[in-house]
Amino acid sequence: MDRKKLLFDLLDQFKLKAEIKEKFNLFVEEIYLYNQKVNLTGITNYYQFLDKNIYDSLLILKLNIIQEQTTILDVGTGGGFPGLLLAIIYEKINFILIDSIKKKTNWLIYIVEKLALKNVTIINDRIENLSDYEEKIDLLLARAVSKLPLLLEISTFLLKKDAYSIFYKGKNYLEESKKINQNFLEKRGLRLEHIYKDKLLDNSERYFLLFKRINLNYKKEMINYQRIKKII
Ligand SMILES: C[S@@+](CC[C@H](N)C(=O)[O-])C[C@H]1O[C@@H](n2cnc3c(N)ncnc32)[C@H](O)[C@@H]1O
């Protein structure tokens, strides 16, 4: 199997420049090697890895939402999905990649240096602790992190007014969304703007939930885990 060809065929759907595709190839080969020492991703089948991690992360490009943002934050980025992949493509945008697990941020430090990326800040912490970035983020992303109510509760304080959060969700998003009524959103100054639907190569469904922060009334100190735990 020609791994590079498989990867490049898949990337061709996103019309990426040759040098970007080479960086993706380096990323994929490096994560494969690294994953043998440190468990970063459970998926070891190459084709599945391309589909579930690379292709899925890049589906957001089709939404044409990433354009003029200055700062994009990826919550619980893990191995760098989707944040690191997007940082390779958008080298003029600052990406903040945060994860609470040290072995994951160690990997990110390693690969960012290998790829010589200058637009990435890696933070080993919990999102709830990011006071320095309060109201500084233009676009917040999260793939496979917490359930929706918790995600909204702990991350909204980071967004600027009129900025968006986009959450990658599976088909169970409906179940999670039921816990979020209009009152929940209004209280946190949020509006659900849009739900985009797409498919992975294996036909599984991908939903992108797009929330807009319409006012700055809900502050970091108002985060209430106990109340949220009762909802989820
Ligand atoms: C299932 S993994 C998903 C990783 C990556 N986004 C992906 O799609 O492959 C969830 C990650 O979120 C991180 N995480 C969960 N809650 C977090 C929080 N409150 N702050 C920072 N990281 C968090 C975990 O450490 C874990 O690496």
Side-chain angles (χ1 to χ4, degrees):
M1 176 179 55
D2 184 344
R3 291 158 56 116
K4 190 168 173 180
K5 183 175 180 321
L6 264 182
L7 172 68
F8 277 30
D9 285 351
L10 177 135
L11 294 178
D12 278 344
Q13 303 191 37
F14 300 101
K15 302 191 172 30
L16 301 175
K17 287 189 276 179
E19 72 243 40
I20 303 278
K21 292 201 286 187
E22 287 298 339
K23 285 193 175 174
F24 269 79
N25 188 47
L26 180 62
F27 173 88
V28 169
E29 292 306 315
E30 286 288 340
I31 201 169
Y32 243 68
L33 285 176
Y34 204 95
N35 206 40
Q36 285 166 9
K37 296 175 281 175
V38 182
N39 184 23
L40 291 169
T41 162
I43 307 172
T44 48
N45 171 288
Y46 186 68
Y47 191 76
Q48 250 190 340
F49 174 82
L50 291 188
D51 187 19
K52 298 277 181 205
N53 286 327
I54 308 290
Y55 184 78
D56 187 26
S57 291
L58 296 184
L59 280 178
I60 196 172
L61 300 181
K62 293 205 220 161
L63 310 185
N64 280 326
I65 281 172
I66 305 181
Q67 284 167 354
E68 293 180 352
Q69 293 87 355
T70 319
T71 310
I72 296 181
L73 185 142
D74 185 16
V75 181
T77 188
F81 307 109
L84 188 70
L85 302 187
L86 297 173
I88 293 174
I89 299 172
Y90 297 100
E91 52 188 22
K92 295 211 170 93
I93 299 178
N94 296 316
F95 280 81
I96 302 166
L97 311 182
I98 175 160
D99 203 287
S100 52
I101 297 181
K102 189 109 186 130
K103 72 172 178 182
K104 303 206 176 174
T105 50
N106 282 345
W107 148 252
L108 293 169
I109 292 167
Y110 169 82
I111 191 66
V112 161
E113 202 179 314
K114 272 256 167 199
L115 291 164
L117 297 177
K118 303 280 177 258
N119 57 333
V120 178
T121 304
I122 298 155
I123 302 176
N124 175 231
D125 204 340
R126 296 194 65 78
I127 189 81
E128 309 80 301
N129 300 334
L130 279 194
S131 308
D132 290 354
Y133 291 92
E134 189 161 3
E135 295 168 18
K136 301 261 186 332
I137 303 302
D138 297 302
L139 176 64
L140 186 141
L141 306 172
R143 190 186 84 139
V145 185
S146 314
K147 297 226 171 94
L148 264 179
L150 183 60
L151 212 42
L152 291 169
E153 181 75 5
I154 63 178
S155 63
T156 297
F157 75 97
L158 294 159
L159 292 174
K160 290 179 183 168
K161 182 170 177 299
D162 295 329
Y164 292 98
S165 286
I166 302 182
F167 301 129
Y168 288 61
K169 288 282 165 193
K171 60 173 186 262
N172 57 352
Y173 85 92
L174 267 177
E175 202 50 45
E176 289 180 33
S177 308
K178 277 186 203 153
K179 313 268 168 72
I180 302 169
N181 54 28
Q182 202 45 38
N183 186 32
F184 180 100
L185 292 176
E186 262 170 32
K187 200 165 171 194
R188 288 157 185 82
L190 288 165
R191 188 163 64 214
L192 176 58
E193 290 267 296
H194 207 74
I195 299 174
Y196 299 90
K197 184 179 177 189
D198 212 325
K199 273 190 174 165
L200 273 72
L201 299 171
D202 71 358
N203 257 343
S204 51
E205 291 163 19
R206 168 59 73 214
Y207 295 87
F208 291 99
L209 274 60
L210 179 69
F211 291 90
K212 182 173 186 176
R213 187 173 196 194
I214 52 178
N215 67 55
L216 300 177
N217 300 345
Y218 200 75
K219 302 288 180 197
K220 181 178 180 298
E221 54 278 11
M222 295 159 85
I223 294 177
N224 187 327
Y225 299 97
Q226 294 319 317
R227 194 176 53 224
I228 293 299
K229 269 192 195 145
K230 277 189 212 147
I231 308 180
I232 58 177

PDB file of all heavy atoms in Angstrom, residues 76-78 81 99-101 104 125-128 143-145 154, ligand 1:
ATOM      1  N   GLY A  76      -9.238  20.617  23.985  1.00  0.00           N
ATOM      2  CA  GLY A  76      -9.067  19.163  24.048  1.00  0.00           C
ATOM      3  C   GLY A  76      -8.585  18.619  22.716  1.00  0.00           C
ATOM      4  O   GLY A  76      -9.139  17.676  22.151  1.00  0.00           O
ATOM      5  N   THR A  77      -7.518  19.204  22.235  1.00  0.00           N
ATOM      6  CA  THR A  77      -7.020  18.904  20.881  1.00  0.00           C
ATOM      7  C   THR A  77      -6.422  17.501  20.747  1.00  0.00           C
ATOM      8  O   THR A  77      -6.323  16.963  19.652  1.00  0.00           O
ATOM      9  CB  THR A  77      -5.988  19.990  20.479  1.00  0.00           C
ATOM     10  OG1 THR A  77      -5.634  19.838  19.129  1.00  0.00           O
ATOM     11  CG2 THR A  77      -4.732  19.912  21.345  1.00  0.00           C
ATOM     12  N   GLY A  78      -6.031  16.890  21.867  1.00  0.00           N
ATOM     13  CA  GLY A  78      -5.471  15.529  21.821  1.00  0.00           C
ATOM     14  C   GLY A  78      -4.218  15.488  20.955  1.00  0.00           C
ATOM     15  O   GLY A  78      -3.250  16.215  21.176  1.00  0.00           O
ATOM     16  N   PHE A  81      -6.179  17.255  16.660  1.00  0.00           N
ATOM     17  CA  PHE A  81      -7.344  17.160  15.765  1.00  0.00           C
ATOM     18  C   PHE A  81      -8.519  17.974  16.312  1.00  0.00           C
ATOM     19  O   PHE A  81      -8.992  17.671  17.402  1.00  0.00           O
ATOM     20  CB  PHE A  81      -7.780  15.696  15.628  1.00  0.00           C
ATOM     21  CG  PHE A  81      -6.644  14.791  15.223  1.00  0.00           C
ATOM     22  CD1 PHE A  81      -6.115  13.897  16.133  1.00  0.00           C
ATOM     23  CD2 PHE A  81      -6.103  14.854  13.955  1.00  0.00           C
ATOM     24  CE1 PHE A  81      -5.068  13.069  15.778  1.00  0.00           C
ATOM     25  CE2 PHE A  81      -5.053  14.027  13.588  1.00  0.00           C
ATOM     26  CZ  PHE A  81      -4.532  13.128  14.501  1.00  0.00           C
ATOM     27  N   ASP A  99      -4.745  21.032  25.894  1.00  0.00           N
ATOM     28  CA  ASP A  99      -5.173  19.717  26.364  1.00  0.00           C
ATOM     29  C   ASP A  99      -4.665  19.541  27.790  1.00  0.00           C
ATOM     30  O   ASP A  99      -3.569  19.980  28.134  1.00  0.00           O
ATOM     31  CB  ASP A  99      -4.660  18.585  25.473  1.00  0.00           C
ATOM     32  CG  ASP A  99      -5.535  17.346  25.605  1.00  0.00           C
ATOM     33  OD1 ASP A  99      -5.449  16.675  26.661  1.00  0.00           O
ATOM     34  OD2 ASP A  99      -6.354  17.079  24.700  1.00  0.00           O
ATOM     35  N   SER A 100      -5.465  18.857  28.592  1.00  0.00           N
ATOM     36  CA  SER A 100      -5.116  18.688  30.008  1.00  0.00           C
ATOM     37  C   SER A 100      -4.145  17.535  30.225  1.00  0.00           C
ATOM     38  O   SER A 100      -3.615  17.359  31.323  1.00  0.00           O
ATOM     39  CB  SER A 100      -6.396  18.474  30.828  1.00  0.00           C
ATOM     40  OG  SER A 100      -7.156  17.437  30.240  1.00  0.00           O
ATOM     41  N   ILE A 101      -3.903  16.723  29.178  1.00  0.00           N
ATOM     42  CA  ILE A 101      -3.026  15.554  29.348  1.00  0.00           C
ATOM     43  C   ILE A 101      -1.626  15.850  28.806  1.00  0.00           C
ATOM     44  O   ILE A 101      -1.461  16.193  27.629  1.00  0.00           O
ATOM     45  CB  ILE A 101      -3.638  14.308  28.665  1.00  0.00           C
ATOM     46  CG1 ILE A 101      -4.965  13.981  29.351  1.00  0.00           C
ATOM     47  CG2 ILE A 101      -2.696  13.120  28.738  1.00  0.00           C
ATOM     48  CD1 ILE A 101      -5.680  12.764  28.806  1.00  0.00           C
ATOM     49  N   LYS A 104      -0.046  14.309  25.650  1.00  0.00           N
ATOM     50  CA  LYS A 104      -0.577  14.823  24.380  1.00  0.00           C
ATOM     51  C   LYS A 104       0.090  16.154  24.039  1.00  0.00           C
ATOM     52  O   LYS A 104       0.460  16.384  22.886  1.00  0.00           O
ATOM     53  CB  LYS A 104      -2.092  14.963  24.452  1.00  0.00           C
ATOM     54  CG  LYS A 104      -2.729  13.622  24.810  1.00  0.00           C
ATOM     55  CD  LYS A 104      -4.121  13.452  24.332  1.00  0.00           C
ATOM     56  CE  LYS A 104      -4.594  12.054  24.663  1.00  0.00           C
ATOM     57  NZ  LYS A 104      -5.964  11.782  24.382  1.00  0.00           N
ATOM     58  N   ASP A 125      -3.247  22.404  30.109  1.00  0.00           N
ATOM     59  CA  ASP A 125      -4.090  22.867  31.221  1.00  0.00           C
ATOM     60  C   ASP A 125      -5.527  22.481  30.903  1.00  0.00           C
ATOM     61  O   ASP A 125      -5.815  21.945  29.833  1.00  0.00           O
ATOM     62  CB  ASP A 125      -3.983  24.400  31.345  1.00  0.00           C
ATOM     63  CG  ASP A 125      -4.309  24.882  32.759  1.00  0.00           C
ATOM     64  OD1 ASP A 125      -4.971  24.138  33.516  1.00  0.00           O
ATOM     65  OD2 ASP A 125      -3.910  25.999  33.095  1.00  0.00           O
ATOM     66  N   ARG A 126      -6.399  22.834  31.814  1.00  0.00           N
ATOM     67  CA  ARG A 126      -7.823  22.653  31.546  1.00  0.00           C
ATOM     68  C   ARG A 126      -8.366  23.977  31.007  1.00  0.00           C
ATOM     69  O   ARG A 126      -7.940  25.051  31.425  1.00  0.00           O
ATOM     70  CB  ARG A 126      -8.573  22.248  32.824  1.00  0.00           C
ATOM     71  CG  ARG A 126      -8.127  20.901  33.376  1.00  0.00           C
ATOM     72  CD  ARG A 126      -9.097  20.397  34.416  1.00  0.00           C
ATOM     73  NE  ARG A 126     -10.403  20.117  33.855  1.00  0.00           N
ATOM     74  CZ  ARG A 126     -10.711  19.017  33.155  1.00  0.00           C
ATOM     75  NH1 ARG A 126      -9.804  18.087  32.951  1.00  0.00           N
ATOM     76  NH2 ARG A 126     -11.919  18.850  32.678  1.00  0.00           N
ATOM     77  N   ILE A 127      -9.290  23.856  30.111  1.00  0.00           N
ATOM     78  CA  ILE A 127      -9.846  25.041  29.458  1.00  0.00           C
ATOM     79  C   ILE A 127     -10.408  26.049  30.488  1.00  0.00           C
ATOM     80  O   ILE A 127     -10.271  27.268  30.323  1.00  0.00           O
ATOM     81  CB  ILE A 127     -10.946  24.603  28.443  1.00  0.00           C
ATOM     82  CG1 ILE A 127     -11.395  25.749  27.587  1.00  0.00           C
ATOM     83  CG2 ILE A 127     -12.128  23.963  29.078  1.00  0.00           C
ATOM     84  CD1 ILE A 127     -10.472  26.008  26.475  1.00  0.00           C
ATOM     85  N   GLU A 128     -10.985  25.519  31.551  1.00  0.00           N
ATOM     86  CA  GLU A 128     -11.607  26.369  32.563  1.00  0.00           C
ATOM     87  C   GLU A 128     -10.608  27.314  33.222  1.00  0.00           C
ATOM     88  O   GLU A 128     -10.985  28.300  33.850  1.00  0.00           O
ATOM     89  CB  GLU A 128     -12.232  25.533  33.693  1.00  0.00           C
ATOM     90  CG  GLU A 128     -13.150  24.412  33.345  1.00  0.00           C
ATOM     91  CD  GLU A 128     -12.474  23.124  32.910  1.00  0.00           C
ATOM     92  OE1 GLU A 128     -11.730  23.156  31.912  1.00  0.00           O
ATOM     93  OE2 GLU A 128     -12.700  22.081  33.542  1.00  0.00           O
ATOM     94  N   ARG A 143     -13.469  18.820  19.091  1.00  0.00           N
ATOM     95  CA  ARG A 143     -13.920  17.564  18.480  1.00  0.00           C
ATOM     96  C   ARG A 143     -13.769  16.479  19.527  1.00  0.00           C
ATOM     97  O   ARG A 143     -12.696  16.313  20.119  1.00  0.00           O
ATOM     98  CB  ARG A 143     -13.063  17.232  17.256  1.00  0.00           C
ATOM     99  CG  ARG A 143     -13.629  16.078  16.429  1.00  0.00           C
ATOM    100  CD  ARG A 143     -12.701  15.676  15.300  1.00  0.00           C
ATOM    101  NE  ARG A 143     -11.686  14.755  15.756  1.00  0.00           N
ATOM    102  CZ  ARG A 143     -11.263  13.682  15.091  1.00  0.00           C
ATOM    103  NH1 ARG A 143     -11.778  13.385  13.918  1.00  0.00           N
ATOM    104  NH2 ARG A 143     -10.335  12.912  15.570  1.00  0.00           N
ATOM    105  N   ALA A 144     -14.843  15.748  19.755  1.00  0.00           N
ATOM    106  CA  ALA A 144     -14.840  14.615  20.685  1.00  0.00           C
ATOM    107  C   ALA A 144     -14.345  15.016  22.074  1.00  0.00           C
ATOM    108  O   ALA A 144     -13.508  14.346  22.652  1.00  0.00           O
ATOM    109  CB  ALA A 144     -13.973  13.481  20.129  1.00  0.00           C
ATOM    110  N   VAL A 145     -14.863  16.124  22.588  1.00  0.00           N
ATOM    111  CA  VAL A 145     -14.453  16.494  23.952  1.00  0.00           C
ATOM    112  C   VAL A 145     -15.612  16.184  24.905  1.00  0.00           C
ATOM    113  O   VAL A 145     -15.961  15.023  25.049  1.00  0.00           O
ATOM    114  CB  VAL A 145     -13.922  17.946  24.032  1.00  0.00           C
ATOM    115  CG1 VAL A 145     -13.381  18.265  25.423  1.00  0.00           C
ATOM    116  CG2 VAL A 145     -12.794  18.142  23.008  1.00  0.00           C
ATOM    117  N   ILE A 154     -18.108  25.631  30.012  1.00  0.00           N
ATOM    118  CA  ILE A 154     -16.710  25.892  30.380  1.00  0.00           C
ATOM    119  C   ILE A 154     -15.926  26.698  29.337  1.00  0.00           C
ATOM    120  O   ILE A 154     -14.838  27.165  29.634  1.00  0.00           O
ATOM    121  CB  ILE A 154     -15.935  24.586  30.704  1.00  0.00           C
ATOM    122  CG1 ILE A 154     -15.843  23.659  29.486  1.00  0.00           C
ATOM    123  CG2 ILE A 154     -16.525  23.884  31.910  1.00  0.00           C
ATOM    124  CD1 ILE A 154     -15.053  22.384  29.743  1.00  0.00           C
TER     125      ILE A 154
HETATM  126  C1  LIG B   1     -11.450  12.056  23.087  1.00  0.00           C
HETATM  127  S1  LIG B   1     -10.105  13.151  23.111  1.00  0.00           S
HETATM  128  C2  LIG B   1     -10.289  13.998  21.575  1.00  0.00           C
HETATM  129  C3  LIG B   1      -9.003  14.569  21.094  1.00  0.00           C
HETATM  130  C4  LIG B   1      -9.081  15.290  19.748  1.00  0.00           C
HETATM  131  N1  LIG B   1      -9.895  16.483  19.815  1.00  0.00           N
HETATM  132  C5  LIG B   1      -9.599  14.364  18.676  1.00  0.00           C
HETATM  133  O1  LIG B   1     -10.672  14.645  18.127  1.00  0.00           O
HETATM  134  O2  LIG B   1      -8.946  13.359  18.378  1.00  0.00           O
HETATM  135  C6  LIG B   1     -10.612  14.388  24.293  1.00  0.00           C
HETATM  136  C7  LIG B   1      -9.461  15.250  24.764  1.00  0.00           C
HETATM  137  O3  LIG B   1      -9.977  16.356  25.475  1.00  0.00           O
HETATM  138  C8  LIG B   1      -9.148  16.633  26.572  1.00  0.00           C
HETATM  139  N2  LIG B   1      -9.964  17.378  27.543  1.00  0.00           N
HETATM  140  C9  LIG B   1     -11.149  16.992  28.095  1.00  0.00           C
HETATM  141  N3  LIG B   1     -11.650  17.953  28.891  1.00  0.00           N
HETATM  142  C10 LIG B   1     -10.752  18.978  28.843  1.00  0.00           C
HETATM  143  C11 LIG B   1     -10.706  20.265  29.462  1.00  0.00           C
HETATM  144  N4  LIG B   1     -11.671  20.673  30.285  1.00  0.00           N
HETATM  145  N5  LIG B   1      -9.652  21.066  29.196  1.00  0.00           N
HETATM  146  C12 LIG B   1      -8.673  20.653  28.364  1.00  0.00           C
HETATM  147  N6  LIG B   1      -8.652  19.456  27.756  1.00  0.00           N
HETATM  148  C13 LIG B   1      -9.686  18.615  27.989  1.00  0.00           C
HETATM  149  C14 LIG B   1      -8.671  15.258  27.025  1.00  0.00           C
HETATM  150  O4  LIG B   1      -7.459  15.335  27.714  1.00  0.00           O
HETATM  151  C15 LIG B   1      -8.527  14.518  25.695  1.00  0.00           C
HETATM  152  O5  LIG B   1      -7.217  14.585  25.186  1.00  0.00           O
END
